Amino acid sequence: VRGYRPDPVPETVMAAAVAAAQSAATSSNLQTWSVVTVTEPARKARLAALSAQQRHIEEAPLLMVWLADLSRLRRLGRRVERPTEGLDYFETFLTAAIDAALAAQNAAVALEAMGWGTCYIGAMRSYPDAVAAELALPPECFAVFGLTVGRPAPGAEGEIKPRLPQSAVWHREAWAEEDPADIAAYDRAMAAFNAGQGLAAADWTDRAMSRVAGPKALSNRDKLKAYLEKLGFALK
Ligand SMILES: Cc1cc2nc3c(=O)[nH]c(=O)nc-3n(C[C@H](O)[C@H](O)[C@H](O)COP(=O)(O)O)c2cc1C
């Protein structure tokens, strides 16, 4: 959903979303994620400016920013005077990013089940240092993505977007290359879907290839590794 009514998201709904998020599986029960809820219009506007100026970030009454947060375990280690060198490895960063994604998706499903619309905001990774400053994040805490939340505006309820055929993603016993005919069929389905949405009838192949063409298409996220190091992640 990328168009929202202004109705605020009640505190009880936010609490239910966080409860759903905390119910997700988490690697070794380390719970290496956190979330910041942003409702203040000026702060949402500043975060939208850092996220390709996507209009629905300002429009949504709530922006949830999902964090890979190793800082909690680092502080704990200092407090109890135990070593925490394991946090310095890329594996632990990946664990935190996976934890954040699982938590967020649980929240998204719960919110949608309660009639709220959501949209992930990967563009929030374009300027991670500025996002960290805006949200007062400590070192080793990274905004993996945002999630806009609100009641869908009339006409913006969204439709179910077709996916690749199962045969393209489902491998039995071992991986096998997809049949190009499956991709061609999906291109036709996506072109028809996009046309129905009033969008250019570009097929999936064309859009996907544009998105992975080179570093420019990553909208500054080609520099992510350097940003993460700046945020204090050792990524060994
Ligand atoms: C991690 C992640 C980041 C995303 N970032 C954006 C974004 O910045 N802006 C946006 O409008 N949609 C974003 N999306 C939404 C995807 O475009 C959308 O999920 C995909 O096109 C499939 O459509 P559907 O979710 O409606 O089925 C993101 C999705 C994910 C999972």
Side-chain angles (χ1 to χ4, degrees):
V1 170
R2 297 183 179 87
Y4 296 97
R5 295 197 331 217
D7 317 40
V9 180
E11 183 75 20
T12 49
V13 170
M14 290 198 263
V18 174
Q22 287 201 279
S23 303
T26 156
S27 197
S28 305
N29 197 25
L30 291 179
Q31 305 175 57
T32 47
W33 65 274
S34 297
V35 65
V36 181
T37 54
V38 181
T39 56
E40 203 184 285
R43 177 164 286 130
K44 274 196 290 107
R46 289 193 296 272
L47 289 167
L50 296 170
S51 309
Q53 204 63 65
Q54 295 185 50
R55 193 183 47 81
H56 55 120
I57 300 175
E58 285 180 74
E59 200 177 59
L62 170 64
L63 173 71
M64 303 183 88
V65 184
W66 297 89
L67 309 170
D69 189 354
L70 298 182
S71 77
R72 188 164 38 235
L73 291 179
R74 191 71 84 186
R75 282 189 302 281
L76 183 60
R78 278 195 208 107
R79 218 174 291 140
V80 298
E81 296 177 8
R82 296 270 297 267
T84 52
E85 273 164 50
L87 297 177
D88 299 343
Y89 289 83
F90 180 75
E91 158 64 14
T92 316
F93 169 77
L94 184 60
T95 292
I98 293 169
D99 270 9
L102 295 176
Q105 181 62 8
N106 257 24
V109 169
L111 286 162
E112 287 176 10
M114 293 187 285
W116 298 87
T118 68
C119 185
Y120 282 101
I121 307 292
M124 197 141 283
R125 291 191 300 276
S126 296
Y127 301 98
D129 53 347
V131 169
E134 178 63 47
L135 301 176
L137 305 185
E140 296 180 285
C141 189
F142 162 62
V144 186
F145 44 69
L147 186 75
T148 53
V149 183
R151 291 283 184 210
E157 293 85 358
E159 284 195 47
I160 294 178
K161 191 181 277 183
R163 291 295 198 263
L164 287 163
Q166 281 197 344
S167 52
V169 300
W170 179 7
H171 308 267
R172 294 168 195 267
E173 308 303 335
W175 186 90
E177 197 170 304
E178 69 283 348
D179 181 346
D182 281 348
I183 305 289
Y186 184 56
D187 275 338
R188 288 192 294 276
M190 275 307 294
F193 177 82
N194 287 332
Q197 300 275 301
L199 301 169
D203 61 28
W204 181 74
T205 296
D206 183 52
R207 290 200 171 188
M209 290 303 98
S210 303
R211 188 66 181 75
V212 299
K216 254 205 157 79
L218 290 179
S219 313
N220 207 46
R221 282 172 259 170
D222 53 312
K223 305 180 187 74
L224 185 57
K225 191 160 179 273
Y227 275 119
L228 288 173
E229 283 161 359
K230 198 171 157 193
L231 293 180
F233 293 95
L235 306 178
K236 281 187 193 167

